[in-house]
Amino acid sequence: MQSNPSKPLNVELSFAIAKSINSKTKSCFDNAYRAALVTEGATYVQGFLAFTGSPYKPIEHSWLELEDSIVDPTLPHLPQPPQDLHYFPAHRLSVKQLKAAIEVAQEDYPEDDALPVYGDAPYAYYGDLMLGGNEYLEAHQAAAAKCRSLNKPVTDDGKSKDRIFQDLA
């Protein structure tokens, strides 16, 4: 599974929706949930975000997909420029499915956060965590590969180590 190039990030709509829901800095799951409730035709998506720089590995993230674009209501709080963000979806829920999953989670585990929603067991390992099904594992692996390609080690002369190995061949 990989970032969908046919669905570009809609930066303007992301900022507009973030403002309308008063998005919070470290609450991507809650931001996407609240945005899904007020965005017609939205699908709530959980997956991973890859970009250049720290933490040099994929981060679990949530956003919306519309028919023709990605909308990220947490975008105003991300330190990377929008063109440097790569989205790797693992789990998509309609607003109806999302509401039902949250209702069940709140009934079954009232002391825990209802988000993120991981779907049905069995769960697979991705990174250091064991949450989500095989689709999480696949999305995490694709995002981790993207992070590795974006964050290649560089030597003192500015060449990537991969390029040096090519020069020696």
Side-chain angles (χ1 to χ4, degrees):
M1 193 173 287
Q2 52 188 312
S3 184
N4 186 347
S6 66
K7 288 194 179 185
L9 175 62
N10 186 326
V11 175
E12 295 80 21
L13 188 55
S14 294
F15 274 86
I17 289 175
K19 184 176 181 179
S20 75
I21 65 163
N22 193 26
S23 74
K24 306 292 182 212
T25 304
K26 298 197 184 234
S27 302
C28 67
F29 300 105
D30 188 52
N31 290 339
Y33 167 70
R34 289 185 296 121
L37 296 178
V38 299
T39 306
E40 189 172 328
T43 299
Y44 171 90
V45 182
Q46 292 176 176
F48 299 93
L49 197 54
F51 47 83
T52 304
S54 181
Y56 307 103
K57 62 183 180 180
I59 60 167
E60 195 173 15
H61 196 68
S62 187
W63 60 91
L64 303 181
E65 283 184 358
L66 301 177
E67 188 174 319
D68 61 348
S69 64
I70 290 172
V71 175
D72 187 345
T74 308
L75 185 61
H77 309 293
L78 298 175
Q80 297 75 18
Q83 68 272 13
D84 292 348
L85 300 173
H86 304 274
Y87 294 83
F88 294 84
H91 193 187
R92 291 178 173 91
L93 295 161
S94 69
V95 172
K96 183 178 180 179
Q97 291 169 321
L98 179 60
K99 286 179 178 179
I102 287 174
E103 188 175 302
V104 167
Q106 288 173 335
E107 288 175 9
D108 292 349
Y109 306 100
E111 66 283 351
D112 294 335
D113 289 333
L115 292 170
V117 176
Y118 290 109
D120 298 326
Y123 296 134
Y125 281 95
Y126 65 88
D128 297 330
L129 304 174
M130 189 188 84
L131 296 170
N134 219 26
E135 64 278 3
Y136 273 88
L137 176 63
E138 292 169 9
H140 186 269
Q141 289 172 338
K146 184 66 173 180
C147 284
R148 283 190 299 276
S149 74
L150 292 170
N151 294 293
K152 291 184 183 200
V154 176
T155 63
D156 291 340
D157 67 357
K159 289 185 176 182
S160 81
K161 286 187 179 179
D162 285 353
R163 174 129 187 244
I164 291 170
F165 292 129
Q166 289 173 354
D167 290 345
L168 295 174

